[in-house]
Amino acid sequence: MGVPSSRIYLAGEWVEPAGGHYDVVNPATEEVVGTAPEASAQQAEQAATAAKAAFEGWASASPAHRSEVLGRVADLLTKYNDDLVPLVQAETGATMRVASTMQVPVAVERFSRYARHALESSLVALPPQAIDATPLAPGGLVGAVARRAPVGVVACITPYNFPLVNLAGKVAPALAMGNTVVIKPAPQDPLQVLRFAEIVHEAGVPAGVVNVVTGSGVDTGAALVASPDVDMISFTGSTAVGRRIGEAAGRDMKRQLMELGGKGAAIVFEDADLDRAASGIGSTWAFHSGQICTAPTRALVHRSVHDQLVEKLVGYAGFCPVGDPLLASTVVGPLISASQRDRVEALVAEGVGAGATVAVGGQRPELDRGFYAAPTLLTGVTPDMSVAQEEFFGPVVVVLAFDDEDEAVQIANGTPFGLYDYVFSGDTARAYRVATRLRSGNVGINTVARNHETPFGGFKHSGVGRDCGAFALQAYSELQSIVWPG
Ligand code: NAD
């Protein structure tokens, strides 16, 4: 594998982009990594048409064949891991640890998992019913089965933070269920997704089953959302864009899976293991520079342990060297772009203007180049401040104090988001009780670790629908009831 293709992947062919190419920039060096195809809206529509043409063949292929193809994709991702990791790093700015452990291997795991799921029966057996005669039909025993049918053509629109992992989380279960897909990656780091298209080609995925279109603006994604050939939008990204897509897709009754923004609360009670809580919350700095939708970015701390926890967090931030992601010692790499860094800095300044205190960080790191933001801790934050309400998607944690459980729950639930919250307490019965009061799709008790068997998704403005584990198969299928006389 060499330089990724500079063409889009459409109906099993490499096609010249109608709009030329645009530069993809390394966020650590500000140098150009490569050029990506600028597809037109019309080419995005053609990709949807190609996926539609391939649908019937793929949907009716044997589960064993689909499983085999997905398995081959997983094997090839593993084979090309050493080529992919440097490209992932160059495009995303991920540190060595994040790029080598969390980007490619998780994508492999997802393709392997859904290769197995592809073999599962799509039928749900139902007991026969004794039905009396009616003017509609004679009576008798009526048998039935519920069948999970593929939805059709799925447009997979993904964000920049984990390009391959997000893609795998959509494409693998969608293909396992017999759907065909058009992938539209984020404009900032699409080159590894074009490499993925090469892998798809090598794996022998039939033409049109997987298509990839890229572009620097919104036109390609918007064209897919509007295309009459697309049956479902699987979107991961910001709530603002999700809302726009939802409005457009709703007009055509397109199925939607929406994985959107978050503003995770970590409630720390007075009986919590504070070291554990601090290292969990500190992951907002240490894991991909806080560009994580599930990050515990709001530390809600019982007033009696507030100062102790803040001290531990300040200490933790001090052990997070910021800099070149290629150095093994670096913990915090750059943000994806200058505009994302500027947004984070502006939001921090807004917080300070509203009365928050910078306990650590807050200044742009002194590095010659790259889009870096320092791990930052803001204290004295109140629930109404923008820093307590808006998503940073950067290495910033805000601390809010509470006096009792009710207040903690009220603050935690007091944003439009509801993706991932955390409860730290020595009393796990209480932690569980509090978890059930949180309006959040996921809750971690005394851990920020993920369990990948769980359904993943958001309450409120954090999304619609669930994926991950076996639940993703439901997201990418329609239920069809079939009945017959006994
Ligand atoms: P974004 O919303 O700016 O972009 C996401 C994708 O949507 C990109 O591919 C973009 O080109 C495309 N897009 C933009 N406008 C469009 C339109 N009008 N029609 C169709 N497509 C359009 O998000 P981002 O900045 O890439 O990623 C950060 C956001 O993603 C954060 O809000 C984060 O919380 C969220 N996120 C959520 C999850 C989750 O699972 N809930 C996971 C990762 C990231």
Side-chain angles (χ1 to χ4, degrees):
M1 259 195 165
V3 176
S5 170
S6 58
R7 290 172 291 172
I8 56 173
Y9 188 60
L10 212 158
E13 308 272 343
W14 295 99
V15 175
E16 279 303 327
H21 294 83
Y22 69 93
D23 289 343
V24 174
V25 173
N26 181 325
T29 63
E30 303 184 36
E31 286 164 6
V32 173
V33 180
T35 61
E38 190 78 81
S40 64
Q42 208 178 16
Q43 287 179 314
E45 286 162 16
Q46 285 166 2
T49 305
K52 187 177 180 178
F55 172 68
E56 205 172 326
W58 183 248
S60 59
S62 74
H65 176 64
R66 289 205 295 261
S67 171
E68 212 179 285
V69 169
L70 289 174
R72 279 205 295 273
V73 172
D75 291 346
L76 288 172
L77 277 168
T78 305
K79 176 176 167 188
Y80 294 122
N81 176 75
D82 293 352
D83 282 327
L84 283 165
V85 169
L87 179 61
V88 167
Q89 277 200 293
E91 278 189 292
T92 65
T95 59
M96 291 303 279
R97 275 186 71 205
V98 171
S100 60
T101 63
M102 303 291 294
Q103 299 264 15
V104 185
V106 177
V108 171
E109 191 279 324
R110 290 184 167 181
F111 274 94
S112 304
R113 160 190 273 281
Y114 294 106
R116 293 193 300 275
H117 280 302
L119 294 171
E120 287 170 12
S121 170
S122 58
L123 302 181
V124 182
L126 298 169
Q129 279 214 311
I131 303 288
D132 291 337
T134 68
L136 178 67
L141 272 181
V142 177
V145 71
R147 167 181 174 260
R148 282 209 307 248
V151 182
V153 174
V154 184
C156 301
I157 303 176
T158 52
Y160 71 78
N161 60 343
F162 283 87
L164 281 179
V165 172
N166 277 311
L167 167 162
K170 296 178 184 307
V171 172
L175 295 187
M177 281 308 305
N179 302 280
T180 55
V181 302
V182 181
I183 302 167
K184 209 300 286 175
Q188 298 92 335
D189 44 19
L191 300 179
Q192 60 200 287
V193 179
L194 292 164
R195 280 250 168 108
F196 171 79
E198 292 171 15
I199 286 174
V200 160
H201 196 76
E202 189 176 338
V205 175
V209 169
V210 174
N211 306 273
V212 179
V213 290
T214 58
S216 63
V218 301
D219 292 358
T220 42
L224 290 176
V225 174
S227 166
D229 291 335
V230 169
D231 302 287
M232 173 174 173
I233 311 295
S234 176
F235 173 73
T236 300
S238 62
T239 296
V241 172
R243 188 176 287 121
R244 234 170 288 146
I245 290 177
E247 283 169 3
R251 281 196 286 274
D252 293 326
M253 299 296 160
K254 288 187 167 72
R255 280 28 179 184
Q256 295 172 40
L257 177 66
M258 293 278 168
E259 301 287 3
L260 308 177
K263 188 71 181 173
I267 299 176
V268 183
F269 284 108
E270 64 285 2
D271 60 353
D273 175 338
L274 295 185
D275 288 321
R276 185 188 280 238
S279 76
I281 294 164
S283 68
T284 301
W285 301 317
F287 184 25
H288 211 26
S289 309
Q291 297 170 110
I292 302 289
C293 53
T294 56
T297 57
R298 290 182 296 154
L300 277 45
V301 192
H302 191 269
R303 208 173 293 280
S304 65
V305 291
H306 173 275
D307 293 355
Q308 270 173 280
L309 186 81
V310 167
E311 196 184 323
K312 286 182 190 297
L313 286 170
V314 169
Y316 189 113
F319 286 105
C320 291
V322 183
D324 183 353
L326 295 177
L327 296 175
S329 56
T330 295
V331 174
V332 184
L335 295 174
I336 191 69
S337 61
S339 65
Q340 179 59 12
R341 178 200 53 202
D342 294 350
R343 192 183 163 275
V344 168
E345 288 180 347
L347 201 47
V348 168
E350 214 175 297
V352 172
T357 303
V358 176
V360 71
Q363 298 292 323
R364 188 180 293 186
E366 285 178 16
L367 293 158
D368 298 344
R369 55 196 188 152
F371 311 127
Y372 293 94
T376 297
L377 184 69
L378 295 179
T379 56
V381 172
T382 53
D384 55 311
M385 290 182 189
S386 56
V387 288
Q389 291 290 326
E390 289 177 32
E391 187 180 38
F392 277 94
F393 224 55
V396 182
V397 174
V398 301
V399 183
L400 298 95
F402 68 82
D403 288 304
D404 60 33
E405 190 176 307
D406 284 347
E407 191 187 3
V409 170
Q410 193 186 357
I411 297 172
N413 288 341
T415 78
F417 300 106
L419 186 60
Y420 218 124
D421 288 338
Y422 304 84
V423 184
F424 290 90
S425 169
D427 178 350
T428 48
R430 166 164 81 166
Y432 180 78
R433 184 178 68 234
V434 170
T436 63
R437 297 177 66 192
L438 295 173
R439 303 298 296 158
S440 176
N442 311 268
V443 182
I445 292 178
N446 293 328
T447 183
V448 294
R450 291 271 302 278
N451 176 332
H452 294 285
E453 297 301 323
T454 56
F456 181 80
F459 282 16
K460 302 194 285 183
H461 290 190
S462 285
V464 179
R466 295 292 180 273
D467 63 6
C468 284
F471 298 90
L473 301 169
Q474 291 162 25
Y476 293 98
S477 56
E478 294 267 31
L479 272 176
Q480 181 184 49
S481 300
I482 301 179
V483 301
W484 59 88

